[in-house]
Amino acid sequence: TSKDVVDRALGYKSQVGSAINGTQLQLEQALALPAAESRMERVCSPAGACGFMQIIPETARTLGYTGTDAEIQRFLLDPANDQINIARGEMYFASLVARYGEEDAVAAYNGGAGNLNLPYDRNTNPEALAKSVACPGLRAYQCTQDVGGAQNTGFQQTRDLIERYKRYKEAFRQRLGVM
């Protein structure tokens, strides 16, 4: 249940608090992201994102991890490495929030920062151009309009994650007594 996820996440409050020290992230934001991404379980997604912070090997390498995809995934799932997983994931999230703002940062963390401006990039492909026409002024993940007769469901997982993140953030605000 959501309460169980919040309770599990609060068990890592000190590690998360240490990880965000010196950033502009608030504790409820930093707790909400792994709660929404992994429900605070050491799992790998079908896309290969692993650990509480659901880091994919490609992103992990930019955060200082080394090794093959399988080695990185094993590292991220090892309970002995929870603090490193949390610290690097939160550092990455903080950089995205500073660059894009909170909601877009959650979308970038989940779907890749390169996908944020997809509809505006006329050099990518015709589908991207069609999306920009269908949803002018919106990010790719925000566009739900029909594109070429088909509904844009490509970012539904990202939209769902953003909604979970918002619910968890509010739950953490209440539990932490943040106004």
Side-chain angles (χ1 to χ4, degrees):
T1 67
S2 293
K3 183 186 179 312
D4 294 333
V5 174
V6 169
D7 290 342
R8 276 195 303 274
L10 287 171
Y12 290 89
K13 185 171 90 171
S14 66
Q15 287 109 319
V16 171
S18 293
I20 64 169
N21 189 28
T23 73
Q24 293 184 351
L25 286 181
Q26 300 299 311
L27 186 57
E28 66 271 16
Q29 292 173 300
L31 288 165
L33 184 68
E37 280 278 0
S38 69
R39 292 174 175 78
M40 295 307 293
E41 295 176 356
R42 288 182 201 89
V43 295
C44 281
S45 73
C50 294
F52 292 144
M53 299 302 296
Q54 289 293 284
I55 300 171
I56 61 170
E58 180 182 338
T59 300
R61 287 187 189 91
T62 69
L63 300 174
Y65 294 95
T66 59
T68 66
D69 286 3
E71 289 169 336
I72 290 171
Q73 289 171 329
R74 277 194 302 277
F75 182 89
L76 293 171
L77 291 173
D78 186 338
N81 300 321
D82 286 348
Q83 180 61 39
I84 296 168
N85 179 280
I86 290 168
R88 291 186 183 171
E90 295 292 2
M91 176 184 66
Y92 180 55
F93 182 48
S95 73
L96 294 172
V97 171
R99 183 172 181 185
Y100 299 113
E102 185 177 14
E103 184 173 314
D104 284 349
V106 175
Y109 191 97
N110 179 259
N115 286 320
L116 281 183
N117 290 318
L118 185 62
Y120 307 113
D121 187 350
R122 296 178 182 272
N123 298 319
T124 54
N125 60 49
E127 184 179 324
L129 179 57
K131 286 180 184 174
S132 69
V133 173
C135 300
L138 296 181
R139 302 280 200 189
Y141 75 90
Q142 296 169 321
C143 182
T144 59
Q145 300 299 313
D146 288 350
V147 178
Q151 187 175 2
N152 176 19
T153 58
F155 291 98
Q156 188 60 50
Q157 176 187 351
T158 299
R159 290 190 294 273
D160 292 345
L161 179 101
I162 291 168
E163 291 308 309
R164 273 196 318 275
Y165 169 85
K166 289 176 180 178
R167 286 193 306 272
Y168 281 121
K169 181 179 162 188
E170 183 55 34
F172 287 118
R173 274 190 173 145
Q174 290 177 11
R175 287 286 295 273
L176 297 168
V178 177
M179 298 299 157

